Amino acid sequence: MCGIVGYVGSRDTAQVLMSGLSKLEYRGYDSAGIAVVKDGSLDIRKAQGRLSNLEKMLGDYEAKGATGIGHTRWATHGEPSQRNSHPHSNCAETIAVVHNGIIENYMKLKQWLISEGAAFSSETDTEVVAHLINHFYDGDLLEAVRSAIGRIEGSYALGVVSENHPGTIIAARKDSPLVVGIGQGENIIASDIPALLAYTRDVIFLGDKEIAMLTRDSVKIHDEYGRQVDRDTYHVEWDAEQAEKGGYEHFMIKEIHEEPKVMTDTLKIKDGMIDLSQIGIDEKAIADIDKVGIIACGTAYHAGMVGKYIIEDLARIPVEVEIASEFRYRKPIIKEGQLVIIISQSGETADTLAAMREAKKCGAKIAAVVNVVGSTIAREADAVLYTHAGPEIAVASTKAYNTQLIAIYMIALELARLKKSIDMNEYTRLVDGLSEVPKLTEKVLDTKGQLQRFAAKNFHKGSVFFIGRGLDYVLSMEASLKLKEISYIHSEAYAAGELKHGTIALIEDGTLVVAIVTQGKLIEKTISNIKEVKARGAKVLAVCFEGTQLAEDVADEVVYLPKADDVFAPILTVTPMQLFAYYMSVEKGCDVDKPRNLAKSVTVE
Ligand code: G6P
């Protein structure tokens, strides 16, 4: 949801800002803009639409040694347009502001500022911040920003420059991510790490309500009361190359190919046992757990749904999975000390973060499954199990989901062992099975040629139904989301046995149905459901384990997975489903990595 960047140093600031924004474009691409303080004056340039429009507008514009901020927008307040593009400024255009988040009380502030003489030129909530800072400014920019954020309600990551303070950037955040990169004779801010990796791998994660003042040679951080505070510097392990396409046509296909490696990196097995020592599990407390909550959004929520099925199956503990945006506004029933698992790739999703805080307030113990080290959810949780997916750039999540599943399976197996709901032989068999999954996924990647050919023949379909039973049903939910996100084809996931209770009315000649048929005990049942849709003219693509007998009258095309225990089917099935969505999107000519209307990290409600 919007990306911000800021740079102070001796390089060509315009170029640093543009390169940073190109790494943040996944956060929104309705417009882009930069503001630089150059030769004592503020210069703002912005363009509606993709970053490439701004790039064209800038031509050979240079701003060597200038101080600047930049923004790529995902519109919330005000349509995507030139005048609503960031950076925004005060009337005299002496102060410029970029913002990621939502100022909830902006209407009230706007009316007050207008009564004080301010004239607004956009419909955005952000513009009030520029006018507010100007209102409080009396020569001290840091103090003016501090006073301004004392008046605003909502969420923000802000970058501020002023022509009266060349060589200084003020940055502040609350509930929206902001990273400060510490360089040599240069410093940088960004919404996410990939934007600053070309300059440094030493970063500080700004805390909530903290304000940073950056010059070329210093970074000073203050709390909301103006006291200077020390913050730890993290060294980022992955390098800039990992956030590049590396010869692939799109980030999404590159990231799908990384799945075997990142799943191996996430798996923690020592001497044949799952090793969760890194999250400091209190084994006795776990043995007492009688209910688990899982909260997440989007793809992470779907990983949570798989979690429910396998934790209940293996550990025999009831699990409630909730969408974060629903959970946060209900009166959740949570017992003091209850385990709540939060799943989030970014660790910054606004709804998930708010739901986690809500659960904490109710006394829950929070274990977070997070990909981004040092993110807000990781910092506020009681325990963190990091997935090691590395940077995921494509807006549609792929490899992060696979690693979330690995994490969830590890938790399920540990709960099962500690609860003694499975015996040690079964535990060992399943741990071995889980450790084989990355290798099997290498084989699954071989299905891409088949799926590409299938997509070439079927990309014109207007609607696709995904059906399955048990684990196949929960995996269908993610398969369907992937397809609709990036190919804009309407699609639904249905429990195969439920289809006949209404949705089957939508099946007509040529409707495409993807049937996932991996669960041994349920195969015959699902085959009956496939026959029901075939009888009504559907075209069926089936996914099943090698050795499953699916006659041609049952499915038109079959994708075979290498044999594994049924319990691991979701992790093996998701890769061909991601490939299917990918090739459908490519065939349709869609923008695979940056689907319309979406953003990767949703830091607004
Ligand atoms: C957005 C993204 C999804 C993602 C969801 C949750 O909607 O487009 O791909 O699954 O947020 O994100 P998180 O970072 O919390 O996993």
Side-chain angles (χ1 to χ4, degrees), residues 297-300 343-347 349 352 395-397 404 485 599-600 602:
C297 301
T299 288
I343 310 177
S344 175
Q345 186 282 126
S346 63
T349 301
T352 311
V395 167
S397 183
Q404 285 163 352
E485 294 188 282
K600 185 155 193 74
V602 185

PDB file of all heavy atoms in Angstrom, residues 297-300 343-347 349 352 395-397 404 485 599-600 602, ligand 1:
ATOM      1  N   CYS A 297      -4.459 -13.003   6.804  1.00  0.00           N
ATOM      2  CA  CYS A 297      -5.212 -12.473   5.657  1.00  0.00           C
ATOM      3  C   CYS A 297      -4.722 -13.140   4.368  1.00  0.00           C
ATOM      4  O   CYS A 297      -3.565 -13.541   4.283  1.00  0.00           O
ATOM      5  CB  CYS A 297      -4.922 -10.995   5.435  1.00  0.00           C
ATOM      6  SG  CYS A 297      -5.304  -9.922   6.783  1.00  0.00           S
ATOM      7  N   GLY A 298      -5.586 -13.158   3.385  1.00  0.00           N
ATOM      8  CA  GLY A 298      -5.194 -13.559   2.023  1.00  0.00           C
ATOM      9  C   GLY A 298      -4.600 -14.955   1.969  1.00  0.00           C
ATOM     10  O   GLY A 298      -5.104 -15.918   2.553  1.00  0.00           O
ATOM     11  N   THR A 299      -3.468 -15.043   1.288  1.00  0.00           N
ATOM     12  CA  THR A 299      -2.788 -16.326   1.123  1.00  0.00           C
ATOM     13  C   THR A 299      -2.376 -16.902   2.476  1.00  0.00           C
ATOM     14  O   THR A 299      -2.456 -18.114   2.705  1.00  0.00           O
ATOM     15  CB  THR A 299      -1.563 -16.105   0.212  1.00  0.00           C
ATOM     16  OG1 THR A 299      -2.059 -15.885  -1.108  1.00  0.00           O
ATOM     17  CG2 THR A 299      -0.620 -17.274   0.212  1.00  0.00           C
ATOM     18  N   ALA A 300      -1.948 -16.036   3.380  1.00  0.00           N
ATOM     19  CA  ALA A 300      -1.532 -16.502   4.704  1.00  0.00           C
ATOM     20  C   ALA A 300      -2.729 -17.128   5.437  1.00  0.00           C
ATOM     21  O   ALA A 300      -2.584 -18.105   6.181  1.00  0.00           O
ATOM     22  CB  ALA A 300      -0.961 -15.340   5.507  1.00  0.00           C
ATOM     23  N   ILE A 343      -0.105 -15.574  11.077  1.00  0.00           N
ATOM     24  CA  ILE A 343       0.706 -15.880   9.890  1.00  0.00           C
ATOM     25  C   ILE A 343       0.758 -14.644   8.994  1.00  0.00           C
ATOM     26  O   ILE A 343      -0.282 -14.084   8.653  1.00  0.00           O
ATOM     27  CB  ILE A 343       0.124 -17.075   9.097  1.00  0.00           C
ATOM     28  CG1 ILE A 343      -0.145 -18.266  10.028  1.00  0.00           C
ATOM     29  CG2 ILE A 343       1.069 -17.490   7.968  1.00  0.00           C
ATOM     30  CD1 ILE A 343      -0.796 -19.464   9.345  1.00  0.00           C
ATOM     31  N   SER A 344       1.956 -14.227   8.638  1.00  0.00           N
ATOM     32  CA  SER A 344       2.089 -13.056   7.759  1.00  0.00           C
ATOM     33  C   SER A 344       3.444 -13.072   7.068  1.00  0.00           C
ATOM     34  O   SER A 344       4.481 -13.169   7.724  1.00  0.00           O
ATOM     35  CB  SER A 344       1.943 -11.775   8.586  1.00  0.00           C
ATOM     36  OG  SER A 344       2.181 -10.656   7.781  1.00  0.00           O
ATOM     37  N   GLN A 345       3.426 -12.993   5.759  1.00  0.00           N
ATOM     38  CA  GLN A 345       4.674 -12.905   5.007  1.00  0.00           C
ATOM     39  C   GLN A 345       5.409 -11.631   5.383  1.00  0.00           C
ATOM     40  O   GLN A 345       6.558 -11.655   5.797  1.00  0.00           O
ATOM     41  CB  GLN A 345       4.352 -12.944   3.506  1.00  0.00           C
ATOM     42  CG  GLN A 345       5.546 -13.000   2.570  1.00  0.00           C
ATOM     43  CD  GLN A 345       6.256 -11.674   2.365  1.00  0.00           C
ATOM     44  OE1 GLN A 345       7.482 -11.581   2.569  1.00  0.00           O
ATOM     45  NE2 GLN A 345       5.541 -10.631   2.032  1.00  0.00           N
ATOM     46  N   SER A 346       4.727 -10.490   5.235  1.00  0.00           N
ATOM     47  CA  SER A 346       5.385  -9.192   5.424  1.00  0.00           C
ATOM     48  C   SER A 346       5.611  -8.853   6.894  1.00  0.00           C
ATOM     49  O   SER A 346       6.513  -8.102   7.235  1.00  0.00           O
ATOM     50  CB  SER A 346       4.517  -8.100   4.807  1.00  0.00           C
ATOM     51  OG  SER A 346       3.263  -8.047   5.480  1.00  0.00           O
ATOM     52  N   GLY A 347       4.740  -9.382   7.754  1.00  0.00           N
ATOM     53  CA  GLY A 347       4.802  -9.004   9.170  1.00  0.00           C
ATOM     54  C   GLY A 347       4.307  -7.587   9.406  1.00  0.00           C
ATOM     55  O   GLY A 347       4.517  -7.012  10.473  1.00  0.00           O
ATOM     56  N   THR A 349       1.030  -6.442   7.734  1.00  0.00           N
ATOM     57  CA  THR A 349      -0.348  -6.269   7.281  1.00  0.00           C
ATOM     58  C   THR A 349      -1.185  -5.636   8.403  1.00  0.00           C
ATOM     59  O   THR A 349      -1.240  -6.168   9.521  1.00  0.00           O
ATOM     60  CB  THR A 349      -0.938  -7.639   6.864  1.00  0.00           C
ATOM     61  OG1 THR A 349      -0.107  -8.136   5.830  1.00  0.00           O
ATOM     62  CG2 THR A 349      -2.357  -7.518   6.371  1.00  0.00           C
ATOM     63  N   THR A 352      -3.831  -7.752  10.211  1.00  0.00           N
ATOM     64  CA  THR A 352      -3.246  -8.862  10.981  1.00  0.00           C
ATOM     65  C   THR A 352      -2.583  -8.330  12.254  1.00  0.00           C
ATOM     66  O   THR A 352      -2.721  -8.910  13.338  1.00  0.00           O
ATOM     67  CB  THR A 352      -2.225  -9.629  10.105  1.00  0.00           C
ATOM     68  OG1 THR A 352      -2.846  -9.920   8.861  1.00  0.00           O
ATOM     69  CG2 THR A 352      -1.777 -10.910  10.756  1.00  0.00           C
ATOM     70  N   VAL A 395       3.533  -9.635  -6.618  1.00  0.00           N
ATOM     71  CA  VAL A 395       2.435  -9.313  -5.690  1.00  0.00           C
ATOM     72  C   VAL A 395       1.718 -10.590  -5.251  1.00  0.00           C
ATOM     73  O   VAL A 395       1.399 -10.768  -4.074  1.00  0.00           O
ATOM     74  CB  VAL A 395       1.474  -8.287  -6.338  1.00  0.00           C
ATOM     75  CG1 VAL A 395       0.178  -8.185  -5.543  1.00  0.00           C
ATOM     76  CG2 VAL A 395       2.153  -6.927  -6.407  1.00  0.00           C
ATOM     77  N   ALA A 396       1.478 -11.499  -6.188  1.00  0.00           N
ATOM     78  CA  ALA A 396       0.820 -12.760  -5.811  1.00  0.00           C
ATOM     79  C   ALA A 396       1.828 -13.638  -5.073  1.00  0.00           C
ATOM     80  O   ALA A 396       2.905 -13.931  -5.575  1.00  0.00           O
ATOM     81  CB  ALA A 396       0.313 -13.464  -7.057  1.00  0.00           C
ATOM     82  N   SER A 397       1.461 -14.054  -3.892  1.00  0.00           N
ATOM     83  CA  SER A 397       2.380 -14.822  -3.054  1.00  0.00           C
ATOM     84  C   SER A 397       2.481 -16.269  -3.525  1.00  0.00           C
ATOM     85  O   SER A 397       1.472 -16.918  -3.806  1.00  0.00           O
ATOM     86  CB  SER A 397       1.858 -14.775  -1.615  1.00  0.00           C
ATOM     87  OG  SER A 397       2.740 -15.430  -0.767  1.00  0.00           O
ATOM     88  N   GLN A 404       5.177 -21.075   4.575  1.00  0.00           N
ATOM     89  CA  GLN A 404       4.210 -20.991   5.687  1.00  0.00           C
ATOM     90  C   GLN A 404       3.660 -22.382   5.978  1.00  0.00           C
ATOM     91  O   GLN A 404       3.467 -22.765   7.139  1.00  0.00           O
ATOM     92  CB  GLN A 404       3.070 -20.031   5.329  1.00  0.00           C
ATOM     93  CG  GLN A 404       3.483 -18.568   5.388  1.00  0.00           C
ATOM     94  CD  GLN A 404       2.540 -17.633   4.652  1.00  0.00           C
ATOM     95  OE1 GLN A 404       1.632 -18.066   3.948  1.00  0.00           O
ATOM     96  NE2 GLN A 404       2.754 -16.337   4.797  1.00  0.00           N
ATOM     97  N   GLU A 485      -6.415 -13.486  -8.807  1.00  0.00           N
ATOM     98  CA  GLU A 485      -5.533 -12.323  -8.589  1.00  0.00           C
ATOM     99  C   GLU A 485      -4.783 -11.915  -9.844  1.00  0.00           C
ATOM    100  O   GLU A 485      -4.652 -10.745 -10.129  1.00  0.00           O
ATOM    101  CB  GLU A 485      -4.405 -12.654  -7.587  1.00  0.00           C
ATOM    102  CG  GLU A 485      -4.754 -12.936  -6.211  1.00  0.00           C
ATOM    103  CD  GLU A 485      -3.534 -13.047  -5.299  1.00  0.00           C
ATOM    104  OE1 GLU A 485      -2.853 -14.110  -5.306  1.00  0.00           O
ATOM    105  OE2 GLU A 485      -3.272 -12.100  -4.567  1.00  0.00           O
ATOM    106  N   ALA A 599      -2.014  -4.786  -3.987  1.00  0.00           N
ATOM    107  CA  ALA A 599      -0.710  -4.390  -3.466  1.00  0.00           C
ATOM    108  C   ALA A 599      -0.233  -5.536  -2.597  1.00  0.00           C
ATOM    109  O   ALA A 599      -1.042  -6.289  -2.064  1.00  0.00           O
ATOM    110  CB  ALA A 599      -0.827  -3.126  -2.640  1.00  0.00           C
ATOM    111  N   LYS A 600       1.056  -5.677  -2.477  1.00  0.00           N
ATOM    112  CA  LYS A 600       1.562  -6.830  -1.759  1.00  0.00           C
ATOM    113  C   LYS A 600       1.435  -6.677  -0.257  1.00  0.00           C
ATOM    114  O   LYS A 600       1.059  -7.599   0.452  1.00  0.00           O
ATOM    115  CB  LYS A 600       3.029  -7.053  -2.116  1.00  0.00           C
ATOM    116  CG  LYS A 600       3.573  -8.306  -1.497  1.00  0.00           C
ATOM    117  CD  LYS A 600       4.719  -8.848  -2.264  1.00  0.00           C
ATOM    118  CE  LYS A 600       5.048 -10.249  -1.818  1.00  0.00           C
ATOM    119  NZ  LYS A 600       4.067 -11.232  -2.285  1.00  0.00           N
ATOM    120  N   VAL A 602      -0.345  -4.825   2.598  1.00  0.00           N
ATOM    121  CA  VAL A 602      -1.520  -3.979   2.784  1.00  0.00           C
ATOM    122  C   VAL A 602      -1.477  -3.369   4.183  1.00  0.00           C
ATOM    123  O   VAL A 602      -1.920  -3.970   5.152  1.00  0.00           O
ATOM    124  CB  VAL A 602      -2.817  -4.778   2.538  1.00  0.00           C
ATOM    125  CG1 VAL A 602      -4.022  -3.862   2.624  1.00  0.00           C
ATOM    126  CG2 VAL A 602      -2.767  -5.408   1.155  1.00  0.00           C
TER     127      VAL A 602
HETATM  128  C1  G6P B   1      -2.131  -8.857   0.472  1.00  0.00           C
HETATM  129  C2  G6P B   1      -1.386  -9.624  -0.578  1.00  0.00           C
HETATM  130  C3  G6P B   1      -1.593 -11.123  -0.385  1.00  0.00           C
HETATM  131  C4  G6P B   1      -1.202 -11.522   1.032  1.00  0.00           C
HETATM  132  C5  G6P B   1      -1.986 -10.723   2.065  1.00  0.00           C
HETATM  133  C6  G6P B   1      -1.463 -10.961   3.473  1.00  0.00           C
HETATM  134  O1  G6P B   1      -3.488  -8.930   0.235  1.00  0.00           O
HETATM  135  O2  G6P B   1      -1.792  -9.239  -1.886  1.00  0.00           O
HETATM  136  O3  G6P B   1      -0.779 -11.827  -1.303  1.00  0.00           O
HETATM  137  O4  G6P B   1      -1.461 -12.880   1.209  1.00  0.00           O
HETATM  138  O5  G6P B   1      -1.833  -9.326   1.801  1.00  0.00           O
HETATM  139  O6  G6P B   1      -0.140 -10.494   3.555  1.00  0.00           O
HETATM  140  P1  G6P B   1       0.893 -10.933   4.656  1.00  0.00           P
HETATM  141  O7  G6P B   1       2.121 -10.120   4.360  1.00  0.00           O
HETATM  142  O8  G6P B   1       0.282 -10.576   5.980  1.00  0.00           O
HETATM  143  O9  G6P B   1       1.124 -12.381   4.511  1.00  0.00           O
END
